[in-house]
Amino acid sequence: MCVVVVGSVAYDGVETPHGRVDRMLGGACTYIALASSYFSDTKIVAVVGEDFAKEDEDLLASHGIDLEGLERLPGKTFFWEGVYSADMNDRTTLRTDLNVFADFKPKLPPTYREAAYLILGNIQPSLQTSVLQQMNGVRLAGGDTMNYWIKDYRDELLETIRAWDFLLINDSEARMLSGEHNLRRAAAKIFEMGPKTLVVKRGEYGAILFRGNTHFILPGYLLEEVFDPTGAGDCFAGGFIGYLAERGFDLKKGHIDAKELSRAVTYGSVMGSFCCEKFGVDRFRTLTRHEIDRRFDEFRAFTEF
Amino acid sequence: MCVVVVGSVAYDGVETPHGRVDRMLGGACTYIALASSYFSDTKIVAVVGEDFAKEDEDLLASHGIDLEGLERLPGKTFFWEGVYSADMNDRTTLRTDLNVFADFKPKLPPTYREAAYLILGNIQPSLQTSVLQQMNGVRLAGGDTMNYWIKDYRDELLETIRAWDFLLINDSEARMLSGEHNLRRAAAKIFEMGPKTLVVKRGEYGAILFRGNTHFILPGYLLEEVFDPTGAGDCFAGGFIGYLAERGFDLKKGHIDAKELSRAVTYGSVMGSFCCEKFGVDRFRTLTRHEIDRRFDEFRAFTEF
C-alpha cells in the first residue's frame, strides 16, 4: 500500500560531539520517506530550490520514492543549522533560512490522492489540513507537530489534528499540548482533541503508544555510539507508517490488532536507531531490510522476560 | 531461601509536590527489606536509636522480617530530610543527621551467616565488605552505592565491589563509576571491576540489566500519580533480590537462566512502582502479593509485541 509523506526537504548543517557537516540532505519529509520506503511505496510532497543537488534527488529515487510531488521553485532550498549538547539530548538551532519553503503550498498530484496512508511532517497546521483535504478515502492519517505550533498556533493546530487518526509527538510536546505532566493523563486529554492513537517519542528512552485504555511501552535501542540524532524522530514516524501500510492496517476498522500497532512502534524505533548511527541520511545509503528485521528481532530479545 | 539486608533504618522528612511529612519511617534497609519480604524470608542488619518507635518495629515484624540484627544504641535514629523538584526527578537534601548510624558496625547474628542471599544497601564500602566477610557460602551477593563513595572513596569502593556478583546503581552513578557516558561501554568497564551482572536503574524510565554480551531493558511503569519516589530504588533492589531468593537462583552456577534475571528486574520495577504510590512506606501497609503478581502481568501486557 502507498504512503504519502508531506514535510520539509532541506539542507542541514549539523555539529555533534562526533564531528561537523556544513551541508547535507535533511528535512522531516526526507527522513520519513527514506524510512518508510523500506516497507511501502512512498510518495513525497515537498518543495526544493534550484540548488537541490542531483545526487540527493538520486538517493531518494534509488529508494523507489515517488518524486512527482517534489516541486522545484526559483530560489534556495530550506536550510537549517544546529549544534548538539555533549550528551546529545539537547540541540540549539543556530540558523533557519526558510527560503523556498516559506511559500510552500502543497499540491498533490492526482496519482497521490487515492493513497491509503498519509503522514504529515511538522509544518504549519493549515498546510497539513490542506493536504488531508486533497486526499480521497485515506485509511490512516496523522502526523507530527512541534512546540512552536502548539504555543503560537494553538487554535489552528487543534482544528487540524481533530481530523487525524494518530498524533506522533515527543514527550515535552505531549505535555505542552495537553497541559498535563503525567503522560497517561496527557494521552486522555489528547484523545479528546481528535486522534484516537497517540505515539509519544521519548528520545533515547524509546516510545509509548496510547490507544483507548491501553498502552504499549518500548524502551530505546542501546547504541554503542550515537553519531547524529538528527532525523531520528522522523525516521521513527517513517518506520511506523511504512510498516502499517505494508500490513494494510486500517485504524478505521472496528476490530484493531493492537499488537500490529506495537510492532509498528518497534519498527519505528528500529529506523530511528539506525538513523543515529551515521551523520544525516548516510546510514540509509547502505541499510537493508534484512538488517532492519534483524534489529526488530533484537528488540524482542532484549525486552522479553 | 533467606535474604540478608544491610543498610540504614532511618526517619525521613520529605516534601513532594503532593505534600509533606515531617517524620516517617525510611532508610534503604527498611525499603529493601519490606520489598524483599513479599518473596523470601528477610533478615535485616541495621542500627536505630532509642527513639525508634514500637509501631515502626511492628510494621517490619508484621512482614515477617527478622529483626535479630537490628541493633538499638543510645542516641537518636538516623534522620534525613529532603525536598523534591516539581517533576520529582531531582531532590535536594536539606538535612542529614547520622546520629547512631555514625557508629554503625554491622554484626551478623550467627543465624544470619548461612543465608544464601545478601544485599548491601548504600553504606560506607568498608562496612559492606565487613558484612560479606561474615557470611558463609553466600550464593548471590551484591548491592548499591552512591556518588559520594564513587567520588571520595573510590579505592575502597573498588576493593569492595570486586567481590560482588551484582551491582545495582542508577545511570548517573554507572557513568561516574565507569567514566563512560554510553551505558553499554559503562557496563563493560564495570564488569572488569568485578560484578558480572550490572543493573542500571533509570528512575521513571525503568531499568537495564547487563550480563555478558546481552542485556535486558524494561521500561518504567506509568503511574497515574507519583506521590513520593523516596525508597523506590531500594524497593527495586528488594524485589530483585527477593524474587531471585524465592526462585533459589544461583549466579555462581555455570548455567544461568537469563530470563529469571529479567523477571527479577521486572519484580524490582513492580515494587518500585508501588512504593511511589503513597508517602514513605505507606503502600506496604496494605500491599498484597496478589497485587504484585497482577502488576507483573501488566508489565508483560504493555511490553509484549
Side-chain angles (χ1 to χ4, degrees), chain B residues 5-8 27-29 31-32 91 118-129 141-147 149-150 157 160-161 164 166-171 173-174 177 195 197-201 231-238 240-241:
Chain B
V5 184
V6 186
S8 58
C29 180
Y31 284 106
I32 298 172
R91 72 179 185 193
L118 173 65
I119 183 146
L120 301 147
N122 163 38
I123 53 173
Q124 186 166 330
S126 64
L127 296 184
Q128 293 175 319
T129 294
D144 192 7
T145 191
M146 71 184 287
N147 50 3
W149 311 117
I150 296 171
L157 178 67
T160 297
I161 66 173
W164 293 8
F166 68 91
L167 177 66
L168 203 156
I169 52 183
N170 70 35
D171 41 5
E173 290 157 356
L177 177 60
T197 299
L198 171 68
V199 184
V200 177
K201 297 175 284 179
D234 294 316
C235 289
F236 180 101
F240 177 77
I241 191 85

Side-chain angles (χ1 to χ4, degrees), chain B residues 1-4 36-42 115-119 139-140 166 237-251 260-261 264 289:
Chain B
M1 296 253 180
C2 253
V3 176
V4 169
S36 168
S37 72
Y38 285 88
F39 303 91
S40 297
D41 284 341
T42 302
Y117 298 85
L118 173 65
I119 183 146
R139 274 194 190 188
L140 186 66
F166 68 91
F240 177 77
I241 191 85
Y243 175 75
L244 291 176
E246 181 181 55
R247 306 293 295 172
F249 188 86
D250 194 341
L251 252 188
E260 282 288 39
L261 280 170
R289 178 64 190 257

